[in-house]
Amino acid sequence: KNEVEQSPQNLTAQEGEFITINCSYSVGISALHWLQQHPGGGIVSLFMLSSGKKKHGRLIATINIQEKHSSLHITASHPRDSAVYICAVLDSIIQGAQKLVFGQGTRLTINP
Amino acid sequence: DARVTQTPRHKVTEMGQEVTMRCQPILGHNTVFWYRQTMMQGLELLAYFRNRAPLDDSGMPKDRFSAEMPDATLATLKIQPSEPRDSAVYFCASGFLLSGSLSGELFFGEGSRLTVL
């Protein structure tokens, strides 16, 4: 079983729809990242969060440490949001060191 | 506009050849990560450095891969000899590690796409 599980693996929606991508993890973490990878391959860090909620434009990320679960929401989705969204958790392995563990990614396609 | 710079962006080479990939982290960041991305495995951590010292390279095949930070502005990942299974996109990322935890965002380079024939 993967340490970080994302769902769904693929998601296709119409422009304007509200999108939710989920991430569940089984390891103890100090922080969680949501990354966006566009078809060109570049990776952008969207959020880093360790508790509560963060909002940036139409993107909202939440995390529940007790339930080991995070969600990424996109409001009023747009075709330019089409990308692979990757959840990554910082797994503390030894004191002072951290290992980033990735989910398998969610491929989002927003149709006009 | 600070960013992580990787070279080369694309590399095609023959099996057995040496490959060196370079990364210039963002000035002031003290942590550098090397990742590999393939269709089958997704993103995998290969190695990372804090203050130029290697902290974890357990994800790296030691017999052929080596990672170094000769100075604070340059990280290198070398494969010798290269094999077709090394074909992947290699990403470098930098951030700032404070008291055992990344205190801010991670910044990724655009990746080096390696094809080993």
Side-chain angles (χ1 to χ4, degrees):
Chain A
K1 189 181 189 304
N2 291 333
E3 294 172 305
V4 180
E5 293 274 354
Q6 285 185 238
S7 63
Q9 290 192 353
N10 293 282
L11 179 57
T12 300
Q14 291 299 121
E15 183 174 355
E17 287 189 38
F18 181 80
I19 302 299
T20 296
I21 300 171
N22 296 300
C23 174
S24 296
Y25 52 92
S26 58
V27 296
I29 71 166
S30 57
L32 181 146
H33 289 259
W34 279 103
L35 310 173
Q36 180 192 54
Q37 186 171 29
H38 275 283
I43 299 176
V44 175
S45 176
L46 297 174
F47 295 103
M48 186 191 77
L49 62 165
S50 54
S51 65
K53 181 170 82 171
K54 285 189 176 180
K55 185 176 188 290
H56 182 70
R58 296 180 294 107
L59 300 176
I60 303 167
T62 64
I63 188 168
N64 185 318
I65 297 294
Q66 288 74 27
E67 295 185 3
K68 295 189 174 181
H69 181 269
S70 176
S71 293
L72 176 69
H73 305 284
I74 305 175
T75 61
S77 60
H78 190 276
R80 64 174 174 265
D81 298 325
S82 298
V84 175
Y85 292 84
I86 303 168
C87 170
V89 301
L90 277 167
D91 178 12
S92 299
I93 47 175
I94 57 175
Q95 188 175 8
Q98 305 233 295
K99 180 176 179 176
L100 203 61
V101 182
F102 297 92
Q104 75 274 36
T106 295
R107 185 175 298 277
L108 174 66
T109 303
I110 304 296
N111 293 319
Chain B
D1 184 26
R3 59 190 178 125
V4 177
T5 304
Q6 286 187 247
T7 57
R9 291 292 311 280
H10 301 273
K11 176 75 175 178
V12 179
T13 191
E14 291 185 332
M15 183 173 65
Q17 297 297 307
E18 178 181 299
V19 175
T20 298
M21 288 167 276
R22 294 176 174 81
C23 168
Q24 182 176 1
I26 290 175
L27 193 64
H29 283 180
N30 65 352
T31 307
V32 175
F33 299 84
W34 280 107
Y35 301 103
R36 175 170 62 182
Q37 186 177 40
T38 61
M39 288 294 293
M40 296 300 294
Q41 299 293 332
L43 272 164
E44 304 171 279
L45 176 68
L46 294 176
Y48 82 98
F49 296 79
R50 185 175 72 173
N51 297 324
R52 296 176 54 201
L55 279 190
D56 181 14
D57 60 1
S58 59
M60 206 165 64
K62 304 280 193 313
D63 55 337
R64 298 183 300 107
F65 284 61
S66 61
E68 296 179 346
M69 275 201 79
D71 61 62
T73 65
L74 177 65
T76 62
L77 180 67
K78 187 179 295 186
I79 309 174
Q80 168 63 15
S82 59
E83 297 181 2
R85 60 182 167 151
D86 301 329
S87 298
V89 180
Y90 291 80
F91 287 98
C92 172
S94 73
F96 192 80
L97 195 76
L98 183 66
S99 300
S101 176
L102 275 173
S103 60
E105 301 290 337
L106 266 181
F107 292 82
F108 285 78
E110 295 187 355
S112 295
R113 183 176 295 275
L114 173 66
T115 303
V116 183
L117 303 174

